Amino acid sequence: SSDGRWLAYAEADPKNKNDLWAFDRDARRAVPFRRTAFDEAFPALSPDGSWVAYQSDESGRKEVYAEVFPGGGRRVQLSLEGGIEPIWSANGQEVFYRNAGRLMSVAVKAGSSLSAAAPTGLFEEAFMRAGSFAVPGYAATADGQHFYFLRSPPATPTSRRIHVIVNWLEE
């Protein structure tokens, strides 16, 4: 969380697939946030810390949801036709996520309740996805206008030259 109190994460469970947990720094303990028979992953806390966006396969395919945090309960589905790897914009007014090869955006108004507009596609991208339930394979700049993506390595390795300079302090 932006105040440093909470750390949201996914944990593998042999019975429940992946579950969402939150570590409370003040209490020095981890508490379950979402433990279901479904696969929940990629939790992302809103900038004000009152909501968490995550992906879940509860509907039969991976979709993006936002749920009130830390208590849970009130939940809003943000994606409509599949979604993974959600992240919040720095101002908390958008949630970005991936849908197949597209980067999507959902305008949100968060407070004690959350309202969400229909998702819109921003652009197609061919960059790699993150593995398992780690952090997303992309990030947004603070203004939400530019993005950084992990890029897949080239199909054929290129030779690289490494120059080692010894005794460089003496030269």
Side-chain angles (χ1 to χ4, degrees):
S1 59
S2 59
D3 65 2
R5 178 178 174 188
W6 295 97
L7 175 68
Y9 62 97
E11 181 175 277
D13 183 321
K15 296 179 198 169
N16 296 335
K17 301 181 182 176
N18 296 318
D19 292 323
L20 301 183
W21 287 73
F23 179 79
D24 181 347
R25 184 197 63 199
D26 293 349
R28 296 180 184 254
R29 66 183 177 100
V31 293
F33 176 74
R34 188 142 183 88
R35 295 184 78 187
T36 70
F38 304 105
D39 188 15
E40 291 99 9
F42 292 95
L45 291 169
S46 63
D48 69 359
S50 63
W51 291 85
V52 62
Y54 59 91
Q55 74 183 42
S56 172
D57 66 356
E58 182 175 339
S59 70
R61 69 175 169 202
K62 293 177 181 170
E63 297 284 0
V64 173
Y65 299 89
E67 191 165 344
V68 69
F69 185 83
R74 291 188 310 270
R75 182 171 75 147
V76 176
Q77 184 173 337
L78 301 179
S79 62
L80 298 178
E81 297 175 357
I84 60 169
E85 297 183 19
I87 63 172
W88 291 83
S89 65
N91 64 11
Q93 296 177 357
E94 275 182 290
V95 173
F96 304 107
Y97 65 90
R98 293 180 188 223
N99 177 320
R102 295 194 71 141
L103 186 69
M104 306 294 288
S105 169
V106 176
V108 295
K109 288 184 182 175
S112 58
S113 64
L114 184 125
S115 62
T120 58
L122 298 179
F123 54 86
E124 298 282 331
E125 45 86 11
F127 292 91
M128 62 191 261
R129 289 178 40 199
S132 71
F133 51 86
V135 296
Y138 70 103
T141 57
D143 64 6
Q145 300 300 305
H146 299 89
F147 297 87
Y148 298 98
F149 287 87
L150 293 176
R151 183 183 298 223
S152 299
T156 57
T158 58
S159 64
R160 302 221 174 183
R161 195 174 248 168
I162 298 175
H163 297 273
V164 179
I165 301 171
V166 294
N167 296 323
W168 63 275
L169 286 174
E170 295 177 14
E171 290 197 18

